Amino acid sequence: MIHRYAMKLRALLIAAAAAASIIFVQAAPKRPWNHGKLTVSENSRFICHTDSTPFFWLGDTGWLLPERLDRDEAAFYLKRAAAAGYNVVQVQVINGIPAFNAYGQMSMPDGFDFSKINRPGIYGYWDHLDHIIDLAAANNIYIGMVAIWGGMVKSGKMNEEQAKSYGRFLAERYKDRPNIIWIMGGDIPGDIHPEVWDALASTIKSIDSNHLMTFHPRGRHTSAQWFADRDWLDFHMFQSGHRRYNQRMGNAYYPIKEGTEEDSWMYVDSTRKYLPLRPVLDGEPSYEDIPQGLHDGNEPRWSARDVRRYAYWSVFAGSCGHTYGHNAIMQFVKPGYNGAYFADGIEKPWYKALDDEGYNQMRYLKELMLSLPYFDRVADQEVIRGNGERYDRLIATRGPGYLLVYNHTGRLMEINLSKVSGKRKDAFWMDAATGRMSYLGEYGDLISYRPDGPADGVLIVTDPSRSFFSKENPTLRGTAVAPKPKKDLTE
């Protein structure tokens, strides 16, 4: 059985590599970093390139990519990630001290002394990571580099001085790569050995000031709780986590009110209260096909519809992007290897999970956000009349000439349209599962609408004079409509 799966995968990888080489010969595509390095927008709410081209972060969680995949597998995965619309892959640079990769090479043969890390004639751990980063660049993907998983710092396996040595090594090796985003932390509260995180982050930033940096916290936390005032932190990240409403599971370490576990939007609201203002996004929501609460295989698994809800709630609340995750993909399970959280490498290997619905539906959110004016977008719940709670909660965001409302349950909604310019407005409905749009008609300053069926989706209302979408054939463009970002944004 394992041999048969391996043969099929190898054939897929060879075919993908051949196709990639043909495409490369035919055309040299423009790279995102041709627009300049990533930076924070002038209004401090979004990420963009230095030429003001918007960057909507659509991340995939590929935590164990450097450790688990060989060269062919990595090429196949990154090609598929790009085809599904992802422009960031978050990885654990090392998940142990030392870590080992698919070739049996260790990350730190001499501990934190990296002076002899490049060994002649040996394709080492860091050579393989170099290759993965270059493969990602060829697919227009940024690598979110979680420098070391938080558990290693918690257990005392890296101290402050060792963090400085490691930070110097990482920064010198990757400062000139165009597709790097630095991520401190790794599923850990920031008050556990903060001196180590400060040493690692500050050392990297002292050598490499060209790449953005953030902190990946423990579930149900935001980086703003500990690092809001740090000069090394460019944008905030929160982890909304994997628990359903009222799933406390006896955990005393529980920083949020019981009954709010799935309300990912509240982390955006709470992070915005910290100054200085910085962009924010969910770096780890509930993963597709993972048990609710993680630790009981008999629990229901999070579905494609669930991961869509996490994404739209977060982004419409004001996030600058979103990271998706899949139980099989994040740990790259396959025949012969069953991962954590009841992932079965035979029942669903990572390369089959790439066909799952949620994995391939995130792109519609990115395409929607980039089809409309980008930098002046704000969250606005005041336009909703009679909002519901939990799954029935509608969430709205608006910008110049448009208003968007995500509806998870297909409930009746009454929306005040007076903040959209124009006496008459065009209304559309977008199915979140397919990205298909349909024209609903013209409205004045109020719309009362119930979608056909219970499918989740987005009510889109626009000023007709802006011509964002065609009435006859409305489609997502996915190409940014982006005036230069402005300061002093007022909601």
Side-chain angles (χ1 to χ4, degrees):
M1 176 70 74
I2 293 174
H3 177 70
R4 178 165 58 85
Y5 274 107
M7 291 294 290
K8 285 184 178 180
L9 175 60
R10 189 63 59 185
L12 286 170
L13 299 176
I14 292 172
S21 65
I22 293 172
I23 293 172
F24 178 78
V25 170
Q26 289 177 342
K30 188 173 184 180
R31 304 301 180 193
W33 33 90
N34 292 155
H35 294 285
K37 68 180 182 180
L38 294 181
T39 188
V40 174
S41 64
E42 289 185 19
N43 59 28
S44 300
R45 293 173 178 266
F46 303 100
I47 297 174
C48 62
H49 296 273
T50 51
D51 71 353
S52 296
T53 299
F55 179 80
F56 181 88
W57 174 302
L58 186 61
D60 185 24
T61 309
W63 291 136
L64 295 183
L65 170 59
E67 293 88 355
R68 291 276 155 78
L69 299 192
D70 64 24
R71 290 165 66 99
D72 290 336
E73 290 170 327
F76 178 76
Y77 162 69
L78 290 166
K79 181 177 176 62
R80 287 291 301 270
Y86 296 98
N87 54 14
V88 178
V89 171
Q90 296 171 198
V91 307
Q92 295 179 18
V93 174
I94 55 174
N95 70 334
I97 298 179
F100 291 83
N101 66 17
Y103 298 100
Q105 295 295 318
M106 70 169 60
S107 59
M108 304 156 89
D110 300 313
F112 287 92
D113 178 1
F114 296 95
S115 61
K116 299 178 181 178
I117 198 69
N118 297 317
R119 294 170 291 168
I122 296 177
Y123 181 69
Y125 187 94
W126 300 99
D127 297 309
H128 189 49
L129 184 58
D130 297 345
H131 182 71
I132 288 171
I133 292 170
D134 291 342
L135 284 174
N139 286 281
N140 297 326
I141 289 175
Y142 288 82
I143 294 295
M145 303 268 278
V146 180
I148 181 172
W149 200 242
M152 300 300 101
V153 173
K154 182 178 181 180
S155 61
K157 292 184 178 179
M158 185 175 77
N159 61 33
E160 189 173 351
E161 289 305 311
Q162 290 167 332
K164 293 177 182 178
S165 176
Y166 183 46
R168 284 191 295 271
F169 165 70
L170 289 176
E172 290 291 352
R173 193 172 187 103
Y174 297 115
K175 64 182 180 180
D176 295 324
R177 290 296 206 287
N179 60 323
I180 296 295
I181 299 168
W182 295 110
I183 304 177
M184 301 297 102
D187 200 26
I188 187 173
D191 56 359
I192 296 179
H193 295 303
E195 74 282 358
V196 175
W197 298 119
D198 279 328
L200 179 62
S202 298
T203 300
I204 292 174
K205 274 289 189 175
S206 69
I207 298 169
D208 176 17
S209 61
N210 288 322
H211 295 119
L212 296 181
M213 182 178 286
T214 188
F215 183 93
H216 176 272
R218 187 174 174 84
R220 298 165 299 282
H221 285 86
T222 165
S223 60
Q225 293 172 238
W226 310 286
F227 301 116
D229 63 345
R230 298 303 202 272
D231 290 337
W232 54 257
L233 190 135
D234 298 298
F235 65 98
H236 287 300
M237 183 176 280
F238 63 89
Q239 180 187 163
S240 56
H242 305 272
R243 295 185 181 179
R244 66 172 179 265
Y245 288 123
N246 295 313
Q247 198 175 37
R248 189 180 184 95
M249 301 174 68
N251 192 339
Y253 186 68
Y254 205 67
I256 63 172
K257 180 181 177 181
E258 187 165 3
T260 64
E261 289 80 1
E262 298 181 49
D263 291 339
S264 60
W265 49 266
M266 72 178 179
Y267 295 97
V268 184
D269 292 349
S270 64
T271 301
R272 286 282 168 81
K273 296 177 182 179
Y274 291 86
L275 296 176
L277 182 67
R278 304 182 197 269
V280 60
L281 62 87
D282 193 347
E284 187 173 335
S286 291
Y287 292 162
E288 188 170 12
D289 199 36
I290 204 168
Q292 296 176 8
L294 297 181
H295 304 296
D296 184 348
N298 295 316
E299 290 283 0
R301 299 204 173 203
W302 294 110
S303 68
R305 184 168 176 170
D306 295 316
V307 300
R308 294 197 301 268
R309 171 172 53 85
Y310 272 85
Y312 283 87
W313 271 3
S314 175
V315 170
F316 282 22
S319 289
C320 63
H322 186 73
T323 297
Y324 161 91
H326 192 291
N327 193 21
I329 298 170
M330 64 98 170
Q331 51 190 325
F332 295 99
V333 298
K334 57 186 175 182
Y337 177 78
N338 289 333
Y341 313 118
F342 311 96
D344 190 321
I346 292 179
E347 180 180 347
K348 183 174 287 186
W350 67 266
Y351 43 88
K352 293 294 184 183
L354 297 174
D355 296 325
D356 277 9
E357 292 180 358
Y359 183 83
N360 293 286
Q361 293 167 348
M362 294 294 103
R363 66 179 308 146
Y364 305 128
L365 173 59
K366 183 179 80 169
E367 290 173 2
L368 174 62
M369 305 319 295
L370 293 177
S371 294
L372 296 161
Y374 194 77
F375 294 107
D376 291 325
R377 179 174 67 85
V378 296
D380 191 349
Q381 292 299 92
E382 293 181 358
V383 303
I384 300 168
R385 295 188 175 183
N387 207 346
E389 296 181 349
R390 295 193 178 183
Y391 299 140
D392 278 334
R393 187 180 196 271
L394 305 174
I395 190 160
T397 185
R398 62 177 174 83
Y402 72 90
L403 169 68
L404 310 175
V405 182
Y406 175 71
N407 185 332
H408 179 64
T409 60
R411 55 164 287 198
L412 176 69
M413 48 185 166
E414 289 191 351
I415 310 297
N416 181 349
L417 307 182
S418 63
K419 293 182 180 180
V420 181
S421 57
K423 292 184 178 180
R424 304 295 293 176
K425 341 282 184 182
D426 284 335
F428 305 83
W429 177 255
M430 188 196 86
D431 186 329
T434 64
R436 296 192 188 97
M437 294 178 61
S438 56
Y439 180 61
L440 303 180
E442 284 191 358
Y443 292 84
D445 285 341
L446 179 68
I447 183 172
S448 180
Y449 177 69
R450 184 192 299 274
D452 293 332
D456 62 314
V458 180
L459 175 68
I460 303 169
V461 180
T462 67
D463 179 343
S465 69
R466 303 297 295 267
S467 301
F468 294 135
F469 304 107
S470 163
K471 297 180 184 180
E472 294 75 23
N473 184 29
T475 56
L476 300 174
R477 288 194 309 272
T479 303
V481 178
K484 186 176 178 60
K486 300 175 182 178
K487 295 181 179 179
D488 302 323
L489 186 68
T490 301
E491 295 194 15

